[in-house]
Amino acid sequence: MKPFEYERADDVAGAVATLERDPDAKYLAGGTNLVDLMRLRVETPSRLVDVNRLDLGGIVVEADGAVRIGAAVRNSDLAADPVIRERYPVLSRALLSAASGQLRNMASVGGNLLQRTRCVYFMDSSKPCNKREPGSGCPAIVGVSRELAILGASEHCIATHPGDMAVALTALDAIVHFETAAGPDSLPMSGFHRLPGDDPSRDTNLPPGALITSVEVPPLSFGGRSTYRKARDRRSYAFALASVAAALDVEDGIIRDLRIAVGAVSHKPWRATVAEELLRGSPATPDRFEAAIRAELDIARPTEQNAFKIPLVTRLVVGVLDELAHP
Amino acid sequence: MAATRIEVPRSAIAITLNGERTAVEVDNRTSLLDLLREQLGLTGAKKGCDHGQCGACTVLVDSRRVNACLTLAVTLDGAEIHTIEGLSDGGELHPVQRAFLERDAFQCGYCTPGQICSAVGAIREAKDGWPSHVTEDLSAAAVVLDDEEVRERMSGNLCRCGAYANIVPAVLDAAGEGSDDGTDLPRREEFHPIPSVEEVAG
C-alpha cells in the first residue's frame, strides 16, 4: 500500500476544504472497498480524510413523509431499521442480500453508493483498463465478461455497478444530498451513476471533492409492496449476476403504478422505464410482465459470455412482479 | 551515496483491547489485523485472504463483528476491541467457545477464532431482532434462529475443512436454540472431557 497522510475530520466544511486543497485525497468511511483497492494499488490516495466521526448518522422521518438517511449509517443498521422494513422492504432486502454480516456492519450508505466495479481487469493493476487508466484499453470486451454489462456499455468500458442498495434506491427515486466547497447540492438516483461513454473513469456525476451527507427516500404509497431478488453464483455472500428491485400497486388485477430497477447489468442501476410505461394500466399477468421486460431488454448488447443475463433478468422480473401481484 | 530515508506517515492511537487500555503508534497503512498480530502479539485473529472475503480475521469493534483486515488501525482511536483472546472470562470459556468444543466444530482450526467472534456478533444481532436475507417476515420483531438463519448469518466466514455441519449446531447451541438439522451429531464431551482454559493453554 502506498503511504498516505491521515486526518480525522471534525466538521463537513473542514473535510470538504481538505479535498479542495488536495485533490488526491479521499474520504474514508467504512473502508470495505477503498482499503481493499488501496492494498491492490488500484487506489493510491495521498491522504485519507476520515469522515466517520462527523455527525452524518440517523434515520429520520421528515414532515413530508420522506425518510432521510445519514450518509454514515451502516448498512446493517439501515437494513434492520423498523421504518425501512415497513415502508421500503425492497431496501432492507437489497441490503440484506449484500456482502456479509461483518461487511454490512462496516459499510456506510455514502460509501456503498461509491463502491467501484468488481470487473477483474479494473481490480488488477497489471492489466489495461480504461476506468483505472484512461486510454489503456478494455480487455474485458473480448475477455472475461461473464459478470459485466449488457445495457448502456460503450466500446471503452463494459463495467457494472456491483451494488445492491443503489438498485433499490433507484427504484425508490431516492435523492443523494452532498456538500462541496460551493455549498449543499443534490442529485436524483436516476442521474447519480452514469454510463461509461468515452470517459469510464467517472462512475458518477458527483462533482470532484463532494461529500455525500444523506440520502432522501421520498414517500411511496405502495412502498410496502416491494421486494428485491438477486441471482448469484452461490446462495449467500456473492455479487449479483443480475438483480431486480420492484414495487407494485395493483387494484382489481390492474397495475396502477410500479417501479422496476435492474442491477448488475449496466454501469448504473438500470431503471426499467420502458417496461414500467408498458405495464402502467395493464393487467398484472405474467405474459404482460414478460412482454414488458423483453421490450426493455431490446437494446441489450451482451457479450458471448454474458448473454445468459437476458433470460435471467427476464425470469427475475416476471418472478418478482408475479410475487408482488399475489401477496 | 547515502540512502534516502523515506518518512512514512504514522499516528498515535489509544484503544481498549480485551479490557485493557493500550496506546500504540501505527504506520497509517496498518490494518487492525496487522496491529494485533505483528505489533501486539495477539495471533488469534488470522490472515486468510486479507481482502474481506474469508472472515478469518473477524474481531469485535465496539461489540460489532468486523473484518480486521479491512479496518485501518489509525481510525480506531478510542475504540473498544475484543479478540478471541479476550472472550473467556477468567478460566471460564465463552459459551460460543464451549459450544465449538462440544460440537467439535472445527478441523484445522485456522478459521475458528474468526468463526467464534463472528458467531458472538451474529447471536447478538439476532437477539437485537435484526432480520437476515432468509428471514421470511421482515415485520417480525423477534428473530428465531434455525439452521438456515445461522448459515446465512455466518456466510462471511469460510471454512476450507468444511466443518460447517458442526459449526451450525454449535452456533445454535450457544444461542440457546436447538439444531433442526436432524443429524443430532454426537457431542464432543461424549468422547473427551472438555479441558479448562489452563489445560488448553498448557
Side-chain angles (χ1 to χ4, degrees), chain A residues 175-229:
Chain A
I175 299 152
V176 181
H177 293 272
F178 57 87
E179 195 87 17
T180 67
D185 207 343
S186 67
L187 279 169
M189 273 306 289
S190 58
F192 185 79
H193 293 96
R194 55 187 294 282
L195 293 178
D198 59 8
D199 185 8
S201 68
R202 291 172 57 222
D203 292 352
T204 72
N205 289 313
L206 211 54
L211 176 64
I212 298 175
T213 50
S214 69
V215 172
E216 180 190 343
V217 188
L220 182 66
S221 60
F222 55 100
R225 201 163 172 177
S226 68
T227 196
Y228 188 77
R229 197 177 287 185

Side-chain angles (χ1 to χ4, degrees), chain A residues 55-69:
Chain A
D55 186 21
L56 296 175
I59 300 167
V60 179
V61 181
E62 309 216 295
D64 63 355
V67 177
R68 188 178 284 260
I69 304 158

Side-chain angles (χ1 to χ4, degrees), chain A residues 195-280:
Chain A
L195 293 178
D198 59 8
D199 185 8
S201 68
R202 291 172 57 222
D203 292 352
T204 72
N205 289 313
L206 211 54
L211 176 64
I212 298 175
T213 50
S214 69
V215 172
E216 180 190 343
V217 188
L220 182 66
S221 60
F222 55 100
R225 201 163 172 177
S226 68
T227 196
Y228 188 77
R229 197 177 287 185
K230 175 173 175 177
R232 42 186 162 173
D233 282 329
R234 58 183 183 194
R235 258 171 69 179
S236 184
Y237 196 18
F239 287 98
L241 292 169
S243 67
V244 174
L248 193 66
D249 183 10
V250 185
E251 195 177 59
D252 300 329
I254 302 295
I255 299 169
R256 283 205 298 213
D257 202 0
L258 80 164
R259 302 286 176 79
I260 308 170
V262 184
V265 291
S266 180
H267 201 255
K268 57 188 285 187
W270 191 267
R271 183 71 180 267
T273 49
V274 173
E276 286 182 16
E277 194 57 40
L278 284 168
L279 287 171
R280 236 172 245 115

